[in-house]
Amino acid sequence: QVQLVESGGGLVQAGGSLRLSCAASGRTLRTYAMGWFRQAPGREREFVAAISWSGGSTRYADSVKGRFTISRDNTKNTEYLQMNSLKPEDTAIYYCAIANTLVAVTHFSEYDYWGQGTQVTVSS
């Protein structure tokens, strides 16, 4: 079984920054893509960012392009989401996930394992 644990969420003012981390443990897949999704109250879970196994390919939702950066450290089985210029509409629970594929994928159905989520709240 694979466990994913997110950290780094919190309360920040608009324009501020946060860095989320997600550590994978247990019987991790040999190779896997990683991603971040978020879910705001009353809304469906939405794609935020994804990164390929090698880290050489990334994909972002239009709403976060230029503000968020996804990265990973395969030696630590960890991925990161650097979030800058945060807006109140970024407020949500952020989930990390891993997919049994080499490429960066964007649909939630392509992911096999999920973390419990970390709350990000951006005040205006």
Side-chain angles (χ1 to χ4, degrees):
Q1 188 70 319
V2 177
Q3 292 84 42
L4 299 175
V5 178
E6 302 100 334
S7 61
L11 173 64
V12 64
Q13 289 188 330
S17 298
L18 283 174
R19 188 192 194 206
L20 305 184
S21 299
C22 174
S25 63
R27 298 185 64 180
T28 55
L29 303 170
R30 183 175 180 182
T31 57
Y32 51 91
M34 302 187 82
W36 290 94
F37 289 74
R38 66 187 182 186
Q39 187 167 18
R43 301 187 66 175
E44 294 185 350
R45 191 171 299 191
E46 65 174 356
F47 168 74
V48 175
I51 188 167
S52 63
W53 162 249
S54 69
S57 177
T58 57
R59 301 180 71 177
Y60 295 93
D62 288 342
S63 58
V64 307
K65 279 181 182 176
R67 300 189 298 122
F68 290 10
T69 302
I70 188 171
S71 61
R72 65 187 294 166
D73 183 345
N74 288 344
T75 66
K76 298 180 180 179
N77 290 329
T78 299
E79 69 166 339
Y80 307 94
L81 186 67
Q82 178 66 44
M83 304 186 295
N84 299 329
S85 302
L86 282 161
K87 305 175 181 179
E89 51 264 43
D90 293 318
T91 295
I93 298 175
Y94 283 70
Y95 299 89
C96 71
I98 65 175
N100 189 12
T101 180
L102 295 176
V103 300
V105 290
T106 64
H107 198 275
F108 70 89
S109 65
E110 297 174 287
Y111 285 82
D112 301 283
Y113 299 97
W114 294 83
Q116 292 299 308
T118 185
Q119 177 71 48
V120 171
T121 303
V122 184
S123 62
S124 57

